[in-house]
Amino acid sequence: MVSKTILSALGIGDLIALGGVPVNKVPSSSHEWLTIAKDFNEKWNFPNCLGAVDGKHVVIQAPNNSGSYFYNYKNTHSVVLMAAVDASYRFIYVDVGTNGRTSDGGTFQNCSLNQALECNDLNIPEPTPLPSRNKPTPYVFVADEAFPLKENIMRPYPQRGGLDDSRRIFNYRLSRARRIVENAFGILCNRFRVMRAPILLSPEKVTHVVMACCALHNYLRPESFLGLQETENIEINNLMPPMARGGYHSSSKARDIREEYKEYFTNIGQVPWQHKVLS
């Protein structure tokens, strides 16, 4: 595995530099996490959110004598870019280089961000009730169904068996926040066109190229990118329903946390346009 982390989830004291380009470190204090959570609530109506997490396959040429090691479900060879972004499309964590055969969930399970979450090494704020609610609720990352449901990871309700209206609304509200990481990948690839075609380098060099692109993205990212209809409701029709994925065994506490979010989104925390997702 050639995995490299440029924004270490295990805590780098100062900004790190890649070729002289400053890169934001993973938040190392409760205050920094609370700032991200405040932005997610104000811009995307999802409280207690620390970031959106997803993986992207960076297509590469098949390495010599690699067999199917880098061959992915899209029938290409790739390395995985695992990332978490804040509410303004900035990368706060990047891990690059896992072979493309590994699923997003598998990549996340083995990355340092997940390990730091499990060891409670991120200085995440203590659980806080959702606005106008009473039950202390942990701060979470939002993700799709490729990821496990955990106390600090929220994923959609599975589609099997059908969903009632409240669960569909939860899935919509989560997808609305989670799509920020997909938007960040889109901005990254449109800005750095090398990522829009197979990269004709070794996996080790591809890792460095992708790391550099992510660093430059954070350095160059203007606030004008926030014009992506942040508070509009027109994106409902553009949100695809979650894909059916293999299941994870989640704890009852994690399921209770998701239920608390569901109750919030369907009551005091509802937004005027969310019911359009039911039509």
Side-chain angles (χ1 to χ4, degrees):
M1 184 179 293
V2 194
S3 182
K4 300 289 184 181
T5 303
I6 62 171
L7 309 179
S8 173
L10 301 179
I12 295 178
D14 301 311
L15 296 180
I16 55 177
L18 182 62
V21 178
V23 184
N24 291 333
K25 63 182 176 66
V26 167
S28 59
S29 69
S30 293
H31 175 73
E32 291 174 294
W33 287 118
L34 288 172
T35 299
I36 292 176
K38 180 175 181 289
D39 285 345
F40 260 101
N41 193 30
E42 292 179 350
K43 295 175 180 178
W44 305 109
N45 309 106
F46 203 107
N48 288 21
C49 182
L50 303 176
V53 181
D54 202 3
K56 174 179 174 54
H57 286 272
V58 179
V59 181
I60 63 174
Q61 67 177 351
N64 292 334
N65 303 315
S66 63
S68 60
Y69 187 67
F70 292 92
Y71 196 71
N72 61 44
Y73 71 98
K74 297 182 178 180
N75 300 319
T76 61
H77 292 81
S78 65
V79 296
V80 179
L81 163 59
M82 179 60 57
V85 303
D86 66 14
S88 297
Y89 309 101
R90 286 184 288 262
F91 294 108
I92 58 174
Y93 174 87
V94 173
D95 181 274
V96 192
T98 300
N99 60 293
R101 287 184 61 186
T102 308
S103 66
D104 287 350
T107 301
F108 180 76
Q109 287 288 97
N110 294 317
C111 76
S112 57
L113 177 60
N114 182 55
Q115 294 165 10
L117 278 172
E118 292 185 347
C119 296
N120 196 25
D121 286 339
L122 292 179
N123 293 320
I124 291 174
E126 291 297 315
T128 303
L130 302 179
S132 300
R133 301 280 291 183
N134 298 317
K135 182 178 181 179
T137 303
Y139 286 80
V140 300
F141 290 89
V142 292
D144 66 18
E145 286 197 341
F147 292 77
L149 176 67
K150 296 185 177 182
E151 294 178 26
N152 295 114
I153 302 289
M154 283 293 102
R155 56 172 267 173
Y157 286 99
Q159 292 283 344
R160 57 183 179 275
L163 298 174
D164 61 22
D165 288 353
S166 62
R167 291 188 173 193
R168 291 176 62 194
I169 287 172
F170 171 87
N171 282 4
Y172 160 66
R173 294 290 293 273
L174 182 140
S175 294
R176 187 171 185 269
R178 185 194 60 76
R179 71 172 190 159
I180 306 311
V181 66
E182 295 182 354
N183 289 348
F185 289 148
I187 294 168
L188 182 73
C189 293
N190 279 317
R191 171 173 273 159
F192 302 103
R193 300 301 180 94
V194 66
M195 296 182 64
R196 298 186 65 177
I199 302 178
L200 308 180
L201 296 171
S202 68
E204 291 83 1
K205 291 182 179 179
V206 171
T207 294
H208 292 305
V209 168
V210 176
M211 288 164 59
C213 289
C214 293
L216 289 168
H217 167 90
N218 277 10
Y219 183 73
L220 298 173
R221 211 205 72 75
E223 293 301 316
S224 60
F225 267 122
L226 297 183
L228 293 177
Q229 307 291 344
E230 287 181 335
T231 58
E232 296 293 331
N233 58 7
I234 60 173
E235 74 278 356
I236 288 178
N237 292 330
N238 295 326
L239 290 175
M240 298 297 291
M243 295 175 61
R245 306 284 184 104
Y248 288 94
H249 294 291
S250 56
S251 69
S252 60
K253 186 172 182 179
R255 294 193 295 272
D256 288 345
I257 293 166
R258 185 166 60 182
E259 287 292 309
E260 175 66 9
Y261 270 102
K262 184 194 72 175
E263 292 299 314
Y264 171 75
F265 289 145
T266 54
N267 291 285
I268 191 67
Q270 64 181 292
V271 292
W273 61 86
Q274 69 184 29
H275 293 285
K276 291 184 180 180
V277 75
L278 303 178
S279 59

